[in-house]
Amino acid sequence: MRINQRTGRRGRGATAIAVGAVAVLALAGCARDTGGGGAAQGGECERVAPPAVPAASAQPAPEQPKADASALKVGLAYDIGGRGDASFNDAAAAGLDRASSELGMPKATEATAQQGESEDAGTTRLRQLAQAGNNPVIAVGFNYVNGVKAVAAEFPQTQFAIVDDDTVDLPNVTPLVFAEEQGSFLVGVAAALKTQTCKVGFVGGVDNPLIQKFDAGYEQGAKAVAPDIEIDSAYISPAGDFSGFNDATRGTEIASGQYDAGSDISFAAAGQSNQGVFAAAQTAQRKAIGVDSDQYNSPQLTQVRDTIMTSMVKRVDVAVYDYINAVAGGTVDALPDRFDLRNDGVGYSTSGGQVDDIKAQLEAYRAAIIAGEIQVSSTK
């Protein structure tokens, strides 16, 4: 994967700390009675040490200067759930809020997709934002791809950005896409280091190429640490059916089945359906991994947050903020092709302290990916 020299997040330019080799971990405890033993008999995972990477080869990209965004009029179209979904959309909202706080951007015009709406409704939403004089207009989610293609062609003097799609080939459209597999690799490492059954789960919202990237990275990270670990992977809805991102009941059913079958940690990449996975983890007294935002800190998830061991943080907030900063500064062409570990576009959360004891190992793998010593595939 090409690594871009570029900008954006606080602390991105901080000097990386040299990461030494970490000793091979002791074998985990025996499997619980409710689960199968995983690939290793008795539920024990043999774990290998992470690579050692010199600090000089794992430097993050430098931070870009802050531009003055006080003259911008920004419009943003959320996916289903909108601001307050405790996940993907909230991350975009955080980017807007940061741009207002740090760049002087006036309050943005925000609009939200509704469950079950037609594709034309999304196109109309974007057109209304452009007609109102918003420039740039940001579309959150690949469901807006046809709308962006149509409306950007109608308003060639307006700049558009779309999150999670890079197929619109127009000069006034900027894709904001991510190396989800890299962040997922790191939470896969965390799961393999923390499991006591040598078996972990994955719950995807929709069985499509985007969510498959989370699945693929998670499995690669887990197996890098524990080659014999078992990963129980399932999706809430098939390709083309986006209800899987908003079906907490089905999320609970799938995750409960995984926990009953012996998984003691499940990674949920399912939008609002994550709430169902967290509920299942709480009932089973197991652990879960969140996605997109630092879900431990989501106010909507306070009652279940102790089950959230970590989250794969997909920094939609970084992408939205960096894009607004670039538009304001006239540096859109300098944005990365993909937001990855090097530019803080993806990562993992530490809120709640449940991965503090393995942070050295996680940082070692992070450094190895940034340095190019580990290449994470976006497919299995």
Side-chain angles (χ1 to χ4, degrees), residues 33-57:
D33 292 340
T34 55
Q41 288 187 351
E44 297 177 340
C45 275
E46 290 192 20
R47 300 173 172 96
V48 299
V53 177
S57 64

Side-chain angles (χ1 to χ4, degrees), residues 5 47 49 57 70 137 156 161 189 211 219 230 283 295 339 349 378:
Q5 298 286 338
R47 300 173 172 96
S57 64
S70 60
V137 174
V189 168
I211 305 304
E219 179 170 320
E230 290 186 24
T283 298
Q295 296 204 279
F339 288 85
S349 65
S378 60

Side-chain angles (χ1 to χ4, degrees), residues 133-372:
N134 292 290
N135 187 10
V137 174
I138 303 169
V140 182
F142 56 79
N143 286 339
Y144 283 109
V145 61
N146 288 333
V148 168
K149 189 180 300 184
V151 179
E154 294 172 13
F155 294 85
Q157 302 307 311
T158 300
Q159 296 194 64
F160 291 80
I162 180 167
V163 176
D164 278 349
D165 181 83
D166 59 1
T167 66
V168 182
D169 186 16
L170 290 171
N172 59 330
V173 176
T174 300
L176 304 176
V177 293
F178 301 82
E180 291 92 351
E181 67 278 4
Q182 292 184 0
S184 298
F185 183 102
L186 295 181
V187 298
V189 168
L193 291 171
K194 287 288 191 176
T195 181
Q196 295 181 335
T197 64
C198 207
K199 186 173 183 179
V200 297
F202 173 83
V203 180
V206 178
D207 190 3
N208 64 17
L210 175 63
I211 305 304
Q212 290 163 9
K213 291 170 65 179
F214 293 86
D215 192 359
Y218 181 64
E219 179 170 320
Q220 290 168 75
K223 288 186 175 294
V225 173
D228 293 330
I229 196 170
E230 290 186 24
I231 295 97
D232 186 353
S233 178
Y235 291 83
I236 295 174
S237 64
D241 176 2
F242 298 107
S243 66
F245 292 129
N246 194 31
D247 190 346
T249 299
R250 184 61 181 144
T252 297
E253 292 172 353
I254 292 175
S256 295
Q258 292 178 345
Y259 294 132
D260 288 345
S263 295
D264 56 350
I265 300 166
S266 189
F267 175 27
Q272 286 188 299
S273 299
N274 276 23
Q275 297 179 36
V277 176
F278 301 150
Q282 185 177 61
T283 298
Q285 297 185 333
R286 304 294 174 92
K287 293 295 181 181
I289 296 171
V291 79
D292 293 337
S293 300
D294 181 354
Q295 296 204 279
Y296 181 92
N297 286 331
S298 296
Q300 303 93 320
L301 301 174
T302 300
Q303 292 186 336
V304 295
R305 70 178 187 177
D306 288 340
T307 71
I308 304 172
M309 185 180 83
T310 183
S311 295
M312 195 297 275
V313 183
K314 176 175 173 178
R315 308 308 292 262
V316 178
D317 59 326
V318 168
V320 168
Y321 170 85
D322 281 5
Y323 174 68
I324 293 169
N325 190 44
V327 171
T331 59
V332 171
D333 289 343
L335 287 167
D337 294 336
R338 194 166 299 272
F339 288 85
D340 57 16
L341 284 175
R342 185 173 178 81
N343 48 52
D344 202 26
V346 295
Y348 66 95
S349 65
T350 59
S351 298
Q354 296 185 52
V355 296
D356 286 356
D357 59 325
I358 59 170
K359 189 172 180 181
Q361 294 97 310
L362 291 169
E363 287 300 298
Y365 280 105
R366 176 179 177 273
I369 294 170
I370 291 173

